[in-house]
Amino acid sequence: MADALGLLALLIGLEIVLGVDNVLVIAIFVGRLPENQRQKARVVGLSMAMLARIVMLAVVVALASLTRPVVANFSVRDLILLAGGLFLLYKAVHEIHHTVEFRDAEHGSDQQTSGTFVSIITQIVLLDIVFSVDSVITAVGLTQQLWIIVSAVVLSFVGILFFARPIGDFILRHPALKILALSFLITIGVTIFMEGLHKHVPKAYIYLPMGFALMVEMLQMRYEHNRRRKKT
């Protein structure tokens, strides 16, 4: 039992660390919705993404075939990563363009808002599936006990949901941070695409520059805050 609890804690930690990508995606995507619909989009999107990941785990026997070549030297996993990386690149560049050019979508009618809501939920679920491919394969490699993996997925999603709103609202209040987060998504998209091409990119090369850039931006925000306070 102690080994099972230790493995559960390990998987929860793995899911939460890998969930950083999810938090950024949700923060950016729900920003296109009216404020009164953002929390609903977070809850619905994460809930459906969690169910999609559990379904992937339910077919654990078939997961082994994800790494077998089906087209040339590319496996199902590789094709998912290639398509997901390209889609993430497109969405990040598209959102940067909208932010820089002040072309945020208007939500004039209920029909437009409903369509945007469904579209954003769909994109959150699809990108979560892309993000979860490696973590699901890793989890299955660590244990065959589905209850441990499912428990880790559910508990980690609760943690992600808890942090998604404050982080998302903070990013949306600071346009510079939003652009920085979108730039991170571009980097993540390139990394996912390279993984699909069998080019491994060490995660340290991605997250360390991200952390440094975030630290510099936070110092800049602190400087601007102190400068405005001194003027007043």
Side-chain angles (χ1 to χ4, degrees):
M1 187 62 181
D3 290 341
L5 292 177
L7 186 56
L8 176 62
L10 175 63
L11 288 176
I12 291 174
L14 175 66
E15 293 286 344
I16 290 177
V17 170
L18 295 177
V20 172
D21 302 341
N22 271 338
V23 172
L24 290 179
V25 166
I26 293 169
I28 300 302
F29 283 9
V30 301
R32 288 207 158 274
L33 292 171
E35 189 171 354
N36 62 346
Q37 288 196 349
R38 290 175 186 171
Q39 183 61 16
K40 179 182 177 182
R42 294 185 187 101
V43 174
V44 174
L46 277 173
S47 299
M48 294 184 65
M50 179 180 67
L51 291 175
R53 194 174 296 196
I54 292 174
V55 168
M56 289 180 66
L57 291 169
V59 292
V60 63
V61 177
L63 287 179
S65 63
L66 286 176
T67 56
R68 296 173 185 167
V70 292
V71 178
N73 282 330
F74 298 108
S75 63
V76 174
R77 168 188 175 276
D78 298 331
L79 296 176
I80 292 175
L81 293 178
L82 288 171
L86 289 175
F87 179 69
L88 190 56
L89 282 171
Y90 164 76
K91 286 300 297 182
V93 172
H94 180 72
E95 291 294 332
I96 287 177
H97 177 69
H98 271 262
T99 302
V100 172
E101 299 296 332
F102 290 91
R103 294 183 179 179
D104 292 333
E106 296 181 356
H107 309 283
S109 67
D110 293 338
Q111 185 176 1
Q112 286 178 326
T113 301
S114 176
T116 303
F117 184 87
V118 173
S119 172
I120 287 173
I121 295 299
T122 303
Q123 292 173 54
I124 289 174
V125 173
L126 290 177
L127 283 176
D128 178 78
I129 291 174
V130 173
F131 291 147
S132 68
V133 170
D134 281 340
S135 64
V136 166
I137 293 176
T138 301
V140 171
L142 290 173
T143 179
Q144 295 292 323
Q145 300 184 58
L146 285 182
W147 74 268
I148 295 179
I149 305 177
V150 171
S151 298
V153 169
V154 173
L155 292 174
S156 64
F157 266 78
V158 171
I160 292 172
L161 182 60
F162 179 79
F163 288 107
R165 181 170 185 171
I167 292 176
D169 290 344
F170 185 74
I171 289 175
L172 292 177
R173 285 198 304 268
H174 300 87
L177 273 184
K178 181 179 179 181
I179 295 174
L180 184 61
L182 287 167
S183 301
F184 290 170
L185 292 182
I186 291 177
T187 306
I188 294 168
V190 172
T191 304
I192 291 174
F193 186 80
M194 294 297 291
E195 291 280 353
L197 293 176
H198 305 158
K199 306 292 184 182
H200 178 65
V201 181
K203 293 298 187 291
Y205 291 170
I206 304 300
Y207 292 111
L208 286 179
M210 284 183 181
F212 180 76
L214 179 61
M215 182 180 67
V216 171
E217 182 58 36
M218 296 299 288
L219 289 174
Q220 175 67 20
M221 290 171 57
R222 181 65 179 175
Y223 167 78
E224 292 294 336
H225 171 75
N226 289 337
R227 186 171 64 87
R228 288 194 301 267
R229 188 175 62 177
K230 191 171 183 179
K231 281 186 176 181
T232 55

